[in-house]
Amino acid sequence: MSPHTVTEADLHAYVDGFLSEARQREVALYLAERPEEQARVQAYRAQNEELRALFRPILDEPVPPRLRSGLQSWSERYGRYAAALVIALAGGAGGWILHGVMPTDATLAQNNAAVAPLRVSTLARQAAVAHSVYSPDARRPVEVSAEQEDQLIAWLSKRTGSPMRPPKLGKLGYELIGGRLLPGESGPVAQFMYQDGLGQRLTLYVSTDQAQNKDTGFRFAQEGAVNVFYWIDGKFGYALSAGINKGELANIAHAVYEQLDKVQ
């Protein structure tokens, strides 16, 4: 295969080390002649490192019993990689993939009265993972840009079934650059992304499946290098994520909360 026919799949396989030695060399030659593609590959590697840092604390945790039986033979073959994948999916990165397989909220409520703290923790983790995956992307961090804000609002509102309007953070130094639709625990969620003059990005993750969650407190979580402030308001769950310090993020989170409270 010619180095001039390198595909997107080849680039991802190159980053993950899944190519043959010969193909690895071909892709390396291809990238050496294309600085823009090389920068994109570096961004992919940075995303991988963010995700590894995020899930490193749970890599040694055992696979949950309810998932162990179906993956036993595969796990014996691939060891800790199987466990890491299952835990990552169950932890939020693949919540929609396991929708219908994982127990429902009703089942959790029967088995454990403390459902609300579990769901809020999941909200923070899902938001942090989404931030880690998309905020470093240099080429396409959002699906619809802020230049098409009206279309973005209409599209996300329609897909989530709830009115969506991104807060204005210009006075705090952050401008909206766009947004995207993401899979949540039981349906779609919205992610709005902002950027300051130095290129620092923050994301607002908006879930609409929090109606049963009565824990409405304003809370803080840290997932790897990502700080998250999150809260529940009616059926909405909001999580503001960034790699900035806790105090600065708290000020922005309060500004977001006040704006959202005024329009509701």
Side-chain angles (χ1 to χ4, degrees):
M1 185 180 294
S2 166
H4 297 294
T5 59
V6 172
T7 66
E8 185 73 13
D10 288 325
L11 294 180
H12 285 285
Y14 176 81
V15 171
D16 296 330
F18 291 153
L19 295 178
S20 66
E21 290 186 10
R23 187 56 178 161
Q24 195 88 357
R25 287 193 294 271
E26 288 181 347
V27 174
L29 289 172
Y30 170 88
L31 293 173
E33 299 174 355
R34 295 166 176 81
E36 290 186 3
E37 294 290 273
Q38 198 169 46
R40 186 150 62 99
V41 165
Q42 290 173 350
Y44 290 156
R45 284 181 172 145
Q47 290 174 7
N48 286 349
E49 288 303 315
E50 288 278 357
L51 289 172
R52 288 192 189 100
L54 190 60
F55 289 110
R56 190 168 293 123
I58 57 176
L59 282 175
D60 294 321
E61 291 183 9
V63 177
R66 63 181 179 276
L67 299 176
R68 190 178 299 142
S69 58
L71 289 172
Q72 184 172 1
S73 60
W74 194 73
S75 182
E76 288 172 354
R77 188 175 175 189
Y78 293 103
R80 62 184 283 132
Y81 297 102
L85 174 62
V86 172
I87 292 168
L89 291 174
W96 184 243
I97 296 173
L98 294 179
H99 178 64
V101 177
M102 300 296 286
T104 64
D105 289 339
T107 303
L108 287 170
Q110 292 173 359
N111 296 333
N112 186 350
V115 174
L118 174 64
R119 286 180 58 80
V120 174
S121 176
T122 300
L123 172 66
R125 174 160 292 182
Q126 287 176 328
V129 169
H131 178 85
S132 296
V133 169
Y134 294 108
S135 63
D137 197 323
R139 291 191 70 172
R140 196 179 179 187
V142 297
E143 285 184 276
V144 181
S145 72
E147 295 175 355
Q148 301 171 300
E149 185 172 344
D150 290 342
Q151 292 93 322
L152 172 65
I153 292 171
W155 174 57
L156 291 178
S157 297
K158 180 179 180 180
R159 293 299 303 274
T160 61
S162 300
M164 293 284 159
R165 185 164 294 278
K168 304 295 184 183
L169 303 179
K171 292 182 178 179
L172 296 171
Y174 286 86
E175 298 293 340
L176 180 72
I177 62 175
R180 65 172 60 244
L181 192 72
L182 296 171
E185 275 192 291
S186 58
V189 301
Q191 183 194 60
F192 295 105
M193 189 176 297
Y194 297 80
Q195 181 172 295
D196 69 5
L198 298 177
Q200 175 67 49
R201 290 174 174 172
L202 61 84
T203 55
L204 176 63
Y205 183 94
V206 186
S207 165
T208 61
D209 61 355
Q210 304 293 328
Q212 296 181 358
N213 197 333
K214 306 305 179 185
D215 190 351
T216 59
F218 202 65
R219 300 182 181 277
F220 172 77
Q222 188 172 28
E223 297 285 349
V226 181
N227 288 333
V228 185
F229 273 98
Y230 58 99
W231 64 96
I232 306 299
D233 191 353
K235 70 175 183 178
F236 293 96
Y238 300 98
L240 192 70
S241 307
I244 59 179
N245 68 66
K246 181 178 178 180
E248 183 181 354
L249 187 61
N251 290 334
I252 299 171
H254 280 290
V256 171
Y257 176 82
E258 289 176 359
Q259 285 192 45
L260 293 172
D261 188 52
K262 290 178 180 178
V263 300
Q264 291 178 351

